[in-house]
Amino acid sequence: MLLNFKYFLKASALAPAVLLPSCTDRNGTVGHLLQRSPAVQESSSDESEKLRAYYAGIENRLVAKGFMRTDDGSSEPPLDAEDLARNFERHAFYDEHEFKNGRFVPSLVKSVLRRWNRPVRSKIVFGPSVTQAQRKTDRDSIKEFAARLSGLTGVRINFSDRDPNFLILVLNSAERGRFANQLRVLMPDIPSNVARSFLYSDRQRLCSVLTLYNRQKGDIQNTVVLIKAEHSNLLRLGCIHEEMAQGLGLVNDSNNARPSIFNDDEEFALLTVHDELMLKILYDPRLKSGMTADEARPIVEAIAKELAS
């Protein structure tokens, strides 16, 4: 069955312009907790604390430079229909990674229109490192944003522990390293090498989303969002917004799209009015999953004219 499916990985990473000096520590490797010695577990905890300080520093510096804006971008010059249609095509019909030789590698690949054609059953999984207070904050943020996405797209997003197809993981470095087997239990259609490659995350990758879809029909089957538990408040919320939204089918990033969270410049932290319009286009009933860019273009242009007017 897997031969009929394909994966796309979308990772939010730090743009070169805002990369900060860092040490060379690596995240934990895949393995079971029971196989780890106390010394290794302590080392993993130390690594998580280093990452926590690292990301707090990044957030502070980005905010000080005017990045990570929390407004919706409505104060920016309005987009015309041509810009909106062009930006939508960049985001909806291209992947930014390919899975080759057991790992995801950056590669701009043309694809078909992907979206959900079934109800979403979402499950939030917290690692033991996440405090009860932080869990409540994250859960409230996720559910509030899910309701917003449902309103924009018409996709029903429910929360259930039974047979989830949209996982949201909040894990620290050690927990990410040993979660591959559990991810395979929750979503058995994801091969172990794909799960391991997805969960491995260097420090420049802020967060990511993995989606399994039918390569002919474009129907999304499963999505996994990965949020790093080490993130401070604004980076954390920004990852929730970007990865959950892109898990609905706006796959690619483009630094030409503005105002938008779907790029790597981190100018905006939260979903913008431009992003909302692209989500509305994606789930307009005049479009169909599996369409190519050429097939969809005249329809997208017509919808963009309506929305931009």
Side-chain angles (χ1 to χ4, degrees):
M1 183 179 71
L2 288 175
L3 293 177
N4 296 322
F5 290 86
K6 191 174 180 181
Y7 306 90
F8 67 75
L9 171 76
K10 188 274 157 192
S12 178
L14 294 172
V18 295
L19 284 177
L20 305 178
S22 65
C23 55
T24 57
D25 297 275
R26 302 297 290 256
N27 293 338
T29 55
V30 175
H32 294 291
L33 178 60
L34 294 177
Q35 295 173 330
R36 290 170 173 265
S37 68
V40 173
Q41 293 181 43
E42 182 179 356
S43 174
S44 298
S45 177
D46 290 344
E47 169 66 6
S48 189
E49 287 305 311
K50 290 177 183 179
L51 286 174
R52 193 178 301 278
Y54 175 73
Y55 290 130
I58 286 174
E59 181 177 304
N60 291 336
R61 295 191 190 195
L62 285 170
V63 171
K65 291 180 178 180
F67 293 89
M68 300 295 291
R69 289 169 53 179
T70 57
D71 63 282
D72 64 5
S74 56
S75 62
E76 299 295 322
L79 288 169
D80 61 27
E82 290 183 3
D83 287 335
L84 180 57
R86 182 170 54 251
N87 289 342
F88 175 81
E89 183 169 324
R90 288 170 178 159
H91 287 84
F93 291 95
Y94 291 88
D95 295 339
E96 63 177 25
H97 289 83
E98 280 189 289
F99 192 71
K100 289 184 176 180
N101 301 320
R103 64 190 184 95
F104 288 99
V105 294
S107 179
L108 191 63
V109 181
K110 200 167 187 177
S111 188
V112 298
L113 190 77
R114 280 72 52 93
R115 62 184 187 181
W116 287 88
N117 294 303
R118 66 189 68 196
V120 171
R121 298 180 303 277
S122 185
K123 177 181 175 64
I124 308 169
V125 178
F126 295 104
S129 66
V130 184
T131 66
Q132 291 301 319
Q134 185 64 60
R135 292 183 188 200
K136 182 181 185 309
T137 298
D138 290 347
R139 194 176 288 111
D140 289 346
S141 297
I142 290 167
K143 290 189 174 183
E144 179 181 350
F145 190 59
R148 182 178 171 188
L149 290 175
S150 289
L152 290 168
T153 64
V155 176
R156 290 170 49 202
I157 303 178
N158 302 311
F159 287 82
S160 173
D161 290 339
R162 183 176 180 181
D163 193 23
N165 55 19
F166 197 113
L167 285 177
I168 301 170
L169 311 178
V170 186
L171 309 171
N172 73 8
S173 60
E175 292 156 356
R176 292 191 293 275
R178 58 180 180 260
F179 195 78
N181 289 341
Q182 190 172 346
L183 178 56
R184 289 274 291 118
V185 171
L186 291 168
M187 291 188 172
D189 284 340
I190 300 177
S192 56
N193 59 343
V194 174
R196 287 194 298 268
S197 183
F198 171 67
L199 290 166
Y200 170 77
S201 180
D202 62 36
R203 62 180 57 215
Q204 270 68 49
R205 188 190 298 179
L206 298 179
C207 40
S208 49
V209 57
L210 173 70
T211 295
L212 172 68
Y213 68 94
N214 184 294
R215 69 173 70 212
Q216 280 83 36
K217 297 180 179 179
D219 294 337
I220 296 178
Q221 309 292 317
N222 299 107
T223 288
V224 188
V225 169
L226 179 61
I227 309 294
K228 294 185 176 181
E230 293 91 353
H231 279 323
S232 43
N233 293 334
L234 189 52
L235 277 178
R236 199 182 196 98
L237 185 58
C239 280
I240 289 170
H241 274 227
E242 183 170 2
E243 307 308 339
M244 285 185 66
Q246 295 204 288
L248 294 186
L250 287 179
V251 181
N252 189 38
D253 279 348
S254 170
N255 288 338
N256 294 318
R258 183 180 182 277
S260 178
I261 59 172
F262 302 142
N263 55 47
D264 289 329
D265 64 11
E266 308 304 331
E267 180 183 6
F268 289 87
L270 308 181
L271 201 74
T272 68
V273 290
H274 176 208
D275 301 329
E276 289 183 341
L277 293 177
M278 289 195 289
L279 284 167
K280 288 181 179 180
I281 294 174
L282 178 63
Y283 282 90
D284 190 289
R286 285 168 284 187
L287 294 173
K288 303 298 180 185
S289 300
M291 278 184 165
T292 65
D294 291 339
E295 291 171 335
R297 190 173 297 117
I299 303 172
V300 170
E301 290 174 349
I303 299 169
K305 286 180 181 179
E306 295 172 8
L307 294 174
S309 61

